[in-house]
Amino acid sequence: MRFIDQLRAAQAQNQSLLCVGLDPLPSRFPAGAARDSEGTFAFCRTIVEATADLVCAFKPQIAYFAAQRAEGQLERLIAHIHAVAPQVPVILDAKRGDIGSTAEQYAREAFDRYGADALTLSPFMGFDSIEPYLKYPDKGLFLLCRTSNPGGDDLQNQRLVVAGQPRLYEHLAELAATTWNRNDQLGLVVGATYPQEIARVRALAPQLPLLIPGVGAQGGDAEATVRAGCPHKDSGAIVVNSSRAVLYAGSGADFAAAARAAAQATRDRLNAARAPV
Amino acid sequence: MRFIDQLRAAQAQNQSLLCVGLDPLPSRFPAGAARDSEGTFAFCRTIVEATADLVCAFKPQIAYFAAQRAEGQLERLIAHIHAVAPQVPVILDAKRGDIGSTAEQYAREAFDRYGADALTLSPFMGFDSIEPYLKYPDKGLFLLCRTSNPGGDDLQNQRLVVAGQPRLYEHLAELAATTWNRNDQLGLVVGATYPQEIARVRALAPQLPLLIPGVGAQGGDAEATVRAGCPHKDSGAIVVNSSRAVLYAGSGADFAAAARAAAQATRDRLNAARAPV
């Protein structure tokens, strides 16, 4: 099953645009939890089981596993998500960006080793840093486009000298929506902080799925985000990520229930903002 | 010891601008070699021992290890390099690019877990994707600037609308050489294919170390590369990487001797092109 179909099916089944990001920081685990790699798996598993019927995707961030030598636990976690929630796709957040045989190795890592359904990529090196991943036709690829951190302006928001003078991120959105998207596998990562930029990306890439981090802990406005990313009922999919606001909603024994309540509230807020079907 | 001092000392001691890239592809190992993760370590160890007195750095590429679940062998390899060639710094090629607490985890991975002396980074997300690494003041950071793959033009070579209309990569070189380089830790990755662009980056960043891949298998001209990157005896350091042309110089039992001969020839070619001291 192709990623985009998996995503659409999960969105329909769970009536959700919410993606829960799995960024496990042992220092923020609830009191009494093990702060080692085994504890990392246990924490993430609990969050997954508490929210699997409320989300359209899970997004583990690989750095949190790699820093603590817990690649084996990441393999185990993704397998566990596929076992307990086979309808929910897994987007591995690794922001890979390299070319040729190196990119092929990263693709093997993400898809063959970890079994991810989609992967985030950095497009800085251009199309030949995207192309090797297209050999996995069922997998989805989210390219960084417009990130909402302050430094996002340093490069992405620079204006280019070409007809219409787009910003770099607009140029990229056009490339990804046209010549680069050979097999309908591409999506874009667009931060939630500036809804007018989400709208701009949506106008340039009407059908691409958008992965939108920054709702929740990072403060993006859920309603404006949904309206900008999903202006019509036929717009491309949007996937709105929340990590810390869900993961660390509680810090005691009830953390799973707190995470579930936070996920549910965010899902409902996103749904309330959707265009009527 | 700071990375840049380590690099300078290794360049002086081994009279070399050459960095050997460790991109181990089991399918290209010599006949009879084990094609598993243990064999990957053994292959890289042999290359390291055959070339350690001829190089100014080693550059392992993490994807080749991650694809085959060989992170433990990468840890072991870097420790081995530090043991047998303590004067030669290790540049971990991972092209990380993320912000905030995620970047902190990547820094922990590269520096605490693997013990790398320097790391490659993708600057697409801007300065706050660089800043977390600056908390390790002895470590070096090479930012992708102008890569020589065909897709390098897609973004990096786009012309910006600002005074003087620089290209994106020139804008980045200026940022890295000025406001971003708070603690003299930054360097730039510039491909060898277009020496005039190396010269342009060198003019904008006279003192930054440049990591230059693309000599050897990728076909860059060694002499033009050195002249462009190192126009004066007081120019910033250059580190010229060759991976496949050294690693796979031989495919039989003599592969270590063949790798050594290839490294020596490349080193000598680079040295012959240096400005007289």
Side-chain angles (χ1 to χ4, degrees), chain A residues 146-148 190-196 198 212-216 218-222 224-225 240-241:
Chain A
R146 179 65 176 117
T147 63
S148 58
V190 191
T193 313
Y194 305 106
Q196 70 277 20
I198 300 177
I212 307 178
V215 165
Q218 291 166 64
D221 172 340
T225 297
V240 181
N241 185 73

Side-chain angles (χ1 to χ4, degrees), chain A residues 3-277:
Chain A
F3 168 73
I4 186 68
D5 299 323
Q6 236 182 322
L7 178 67
R8 290 288 196 184
Q11 292 193 330
Q13 181 176 335
N14 288 348
Q15 280 297 299
S16 181
L17 302 173
L18 176 66
C19 170
V20 165
L22 299 167
D23 302 4
L25 265 182
S27 62
R28 300 194 61 180
F29 289 173
R35 288 165 213 284
D36 56 8
S37 72
E38 187 71 36
T40 293
F41 172 77
F43 175 76
C44 291
R45 180 183 55 194
T46 304
I47 297 287
V48 163
E49 292 174 357
T51 59
D53 62 324
L54 298 173
V55 303
C56 66
F58 286 109
K59 180 175 72 64
Q61 214 308 329
I62 198 167
Y64 294 83
F65 297 86
Q68 49 175 320
R69 248 187 214 99
E71 283 87 2
Q73 301 297 342
L74 177 57
E75 293 176 6
R76 193 176 158 204
L77 175 64
I78 294 175
H80 187 74
I81 296 171
H82 286 146
V84 301
Q87 77 286 6
V88 176
V90 174
I91 302 169
L92 181 63
D93 193 0
K95 301 185 178 66
R96 299 306 192 210
D98 214 311
I99 55 168
S101 62
T102 304
E104 288 169 15
Q105 301 305 311
Y106 280 131
R108 282 185 54 202
E109 179 197 22
F111 303 137
D112 296 337
R113 174 181 182 180
Y114 288 115
D117 303 297
L119 178 67
T120 58
L121 294 177
S122 172
F124 186 73
M125 294 184 78
F127 182 62
D128 40 7
S129 69
I130 309 300
E131 197 174 16
Y133 301 90
L134 302 182
K135 293 176 193 157
Y136 292 76
D138 288 345
K139 304 298 185 179
L141 302 158
F142 287 98
L143 315 188
L144 295 179
C145 179
R146 179 65 176 117
T147 63
S148 58
N149 56 306
D153 282 348
D154 291 334
L155 303 185
Q156 298 155 28
N157 208 29
Q158 296 299 315
R159 198 178 284 278
L160 302 179
V161 182
V162 288
Q165 303 192 340
R167 309 279 180 170
L168 181 65
Y169 77 91
E170 295 171 312
H171 174 63
L172 177 65
E174 279 193 294
L175 286 172
T178 56
T179 55
W180 288 13
N181 196 20
R182 295 194 184 156
N183 192 28
D184 278 336
Q185 288 172 269
L186 301 186
L188 295 166
V189 178
V190 191
T193 313
Y194 305 106
Q196 70 277 20
E197 294 177 345
I198 300 177
R200 187 76 192 117
V201 170
R202 177 49 81 210
L204 293 164
Q207 288 306 315
L208 261 53
L210 303 183
L211 174 60
I212 307 178
V215 165
Q218 291 166 64
D221 172 340
E223 200 165 277
T225 297
V226 174
R227 270 177 299 161
C230 222
H232 315 293
K233 73 177 176 48
D234 300 325
S235 298
I238 68 170
V239 178
V240 181
N241 185 73
S242 179
S243 301
R244 282 166 282 171
V246 172
L247 299 185
Y248 310 117
S251 57
D254 66 338
F255 77 97
R260 179 171 176 82
Q264 189 144 19
T266 308
R267 180 190 73 160
D268 293 349
R269 212 159 69 237
L270 296 170
N271 283 344
R274 284 175 113 158
V277 181

